Amino acid sequence: MRAALAGVAALSLALTGCGGADESSAGTGGTVIVFAAASLTETFTKLGRDFEAAHPGTRVVLNFAGSSALATQITQGAPADVFAAASPATMKTVTDAGDAAGAPAVLVRNQLVIAVPEGNPDRVGGLADLARPGVKVALCAEQVPCGAAAKSALAAAGVRLTPATLEQDVKGALAKVKLGEVDAALVYRTDVRAAAGLAAVEFPESARAVNDYPIVVLKHAGNPDGARAFVDHVRSDAGLTVLTAAGFQAPPSR
């Protein structure tokens, strides 16, 4: 038996209907456990509810965290059916360990922005402003995809800064701005769009740090049929509509 999941926060979505199976729900049922990057929280919550509604008798359980932490948990035996990561590098941890059932597919792409309080009181206009004396900045830790992307963007801009805090996922970095503990954070465009009271400052170097989000069914999935159906659902045109409405970019192949 695979090792039990320890220390992972789980968001359990309620069943959204019942009744006999139809063509759309054939081959599904039971519980589908999805490990997903923290930046997918809002969109996958909606997509999980939509999937349950379309597949009566199926329950989706979503675990959100930094991609690197999730990848480590999967390779250590945490039970999961699907993994959606915020970078190919974190997905590679899982594929190199032989824990993926087939090749991952790129679901969407995401780009960094500078998150600031509404009204931009520190008049941050680009990455260089983050290095000004007195400006406190939150970054994701380097092993987290948003941290690796921030490192690339800062290097492209020739900007060096000492962050006030390094967070383990993008939601943690964003929370520091919301709480007024920092003046700005480098986070994904989608996260700022989903947050109240914050504004996004675009910067050209973000084009050098676009993250692809791969998704895959896991080799030791307890519900492989449900896992494949869920991946098909989020990669469908309807799924892409939900994701792009939140600010994600369609992958080049779409």
Side-chain angles (χ1 to χ4, degrees), residues 7 18 20 26 46 68 71 85 92-93 95 99 109 115 126-127 149 161 163 180 185 190 193 201 205 210 227 246:
C18 57
K46 174 172 172 46
S68 56
K92 191 173 185 295
T93 300
T95 56
D99 286 321
R109 313 180 96 184
L127 291 181
L161 60 85
T190 52
R193 184 175 292 192
V201 177
E205 295 85 1
V210 175

Side-chain angles (χ1 to χ4, degrees), residues 80-129:
D81 299 304
V82 175
F83 180 38
S87 74
T90 46
M91 178 60 75
K92 191 173 185 295
T93 300
V94 171
T95 56
D96 283 355
D99 286 321
V106 176
L107 178 62
V108 286
R109 313 180 96 184
N110 212 349
Q111 206 158 336
L112 292 181
V113 296
I114 303 168
V116 297
E118 224 166 37
N120 194 3
D122 289 287
R123 299 183 182 275
V124 173
L127 291 181
D129 292 329

Side-chain angles (χ1 to χ4, degrees), residues 14 37-38 58 141 148 161-162 193 202 214 220-221 227 244 247:
T58 301
L161 60 85
T162 301
R193 184 175 292 192
E202 302 276 350
H220 299 283
T244 54

Side-chain angles (χ1 to χ4, degrees), residues 25-176:
S25 60
T28 61
T31 298
V32 181
I33 302 173
V34 180
F35 278 27
S39 48
L40 290 166
T41 298
E42 292 80 13
T43 50
F44 266 42
T45 297
K46 174 172 172 46
L47 289 168
R49 291 185 181 128
D50 292 346
F51 182 76
E52 289 178 337
H55 300 83
T58 301
R59 178 171 176 257
V60 177
V61 174
L62 295 164
N63 294 319
F64 297 110
S67 295
S68 56
L70 293 175
T72 298
Q73 290 158 9
I74 290 167
T75 60
Q76 290 179 348
D81 299 304
V82 175
F83 180 38
S87 74
T90 46
M91 178 60 75
K92 191 173 185 295
T93 300
V94 171
T95 56
D96 283 355
D99 286 321
V106 176
L107 178 62
V108 286
R109 313 180 96 184
N110 212 349
Q111 206 158 336
L112 292 181
V113 296
I114 303 168
V116 297
E118 224 166 37
N120 194 3
D122 289 287
R123 299 183 182 275
V124 173
L127 291 181
D129 292 329
L130 300 181
R132 292 197 324 247
V135 176
K136 292 186 288 186
V137 181
L139 298 179
C140 295
E142 191 174 323
Q143 69 269 24
V144 181
C146 65
K151 181 180 178 182
S152 296
L154 290 165
V159 173
R160 291 188 178 186
L161 60 85
T162 301
T165 180
L166 290 171
E167 298 298 317
Q168 292 307 306
D169 62 53
V170 70
K171 297 298 186 186
L174 197 70
K176 295 295 184 180

